[in-house]
């Protein structure tokens, strides 16, 4: 099914956080239950943020964080189930990668649980050399003393 009426936006102000929350709850097992407040923080601190709209209905979303030259990470790629398999996911990723904030980046990372095949077709390769993760850093920081947390000026 082709969707020529789909409009892409890179404006943060276009994001309807309630529709984004609903889209995640519907189509992204890894993002179910995210609060509006947390979504606002994530969107605010990301660039680019790309949304796909069928009239006033949010049907796709992706965001990235980047230093603009060396590294970037693509986050939260989601397409509404009714629009999957139409090429919109590929167009969404291409739009993110062609954004001025991403164009010159040496390495772009993303994490995916079940969509490796899709991203491989887009040119991504499996990378087993960067598999470290730190969970709940704020809990670890809370256990440090105030003297340990002082920063050098």
């Amino acid at each position: 099914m082709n969707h020529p009426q789909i409009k892409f936006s890179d404006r943060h102000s276009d994001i309807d956080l309630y529709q984004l929350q609903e889209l995640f709850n519907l189509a992204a097992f890894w993002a179910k239950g995210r609060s509006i407040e947390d979504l606002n923080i994530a969107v605010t601190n990301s660039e680019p943020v790309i949304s796909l709209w069928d009239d006033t209905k949010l049907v796709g979303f992706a965001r990235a964080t980047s230093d603009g030259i060396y590294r970037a990470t693509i986050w939260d790629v989601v397409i509404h189930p009714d629009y999957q398999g139409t090429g919109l996911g590929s167009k969404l990723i291409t739009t993110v990668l062609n954004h001025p904030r991403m164009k010159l980046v040496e390495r772009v990372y993303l994490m995916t649980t079940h969509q490796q095949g899709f991203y491989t077709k887009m040119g991504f390769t499996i990378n087993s050399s960067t598999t470290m993760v730190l969970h709940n850093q704020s809990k670890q920081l809370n256990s440090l003393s105030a003297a340990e947390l002082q920063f050098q000026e």
Side-chain angles (χ1 to χ4, degrees), residues 32-150:
K32 287 182 190 280
R34 290 183 177 176
S35 72
I36 295 297
E37 295 78 14
D38 289 351
L39 289 173
N40 185 49
I41 292 168
V43 168
T44 299
N45 290 298
S46 299
E47 184 69 27
V49 173
I50 307 296
S51 55
L52 282 62
W53 298 89
D54 187 349
D55 193 23
T56 60
K57 178 181 179 181
L58 180 66
V59 299
F61 177 84
R63 65 184 182 90
T65 52
S66 175
D67 61 18
I69 193 69
Y70 297 115
R71 302 292 184 268
T73 304
I74 297 175
W75 306 99
D76 296 338
V77 179
V78 63
I79 299 290
H80 190 284
D82 293 345
Y83 296 78
Q84 291 176 6
T86 64
L88 288 176
S90 298
K91 289 179 184 175
L92 177 58
I93 295 298
T94 300
T95 302
V96 170
L97 293 172
N98 286 326
H99 188 276
R101 183 87 172 140
M102 301 288 287
K103 270 186 145 171
L104 300 176
V105 173
E106 181 180 277
R107 289 191 186 171
V108 178
Y109 296 95
L110 64 84
M111 281 146 275
T112 184
T113 306
H114 302 294
Q115 297 299 324
Q116 290 86 353
F118 169 78
Y119 291 109
T120 299
K121 289 181 204 171
M122 300 282 313
F124 286 85
T125 58
I126 294 173
N127 178 16
S128 60
S129 64
T130 56
T131 58
M132 297 180 74
V133 64
L134 175 63
H135 292 281
N136 297 323
Q137 186 176 6
S138 62
K139 289 182 181 181
Q140 291 175 358
L141 290 177
N142 288 339
S143 69
L144 297 175
S145 70
E148 292 172 308
L149 289 174
Q150 289 181 343

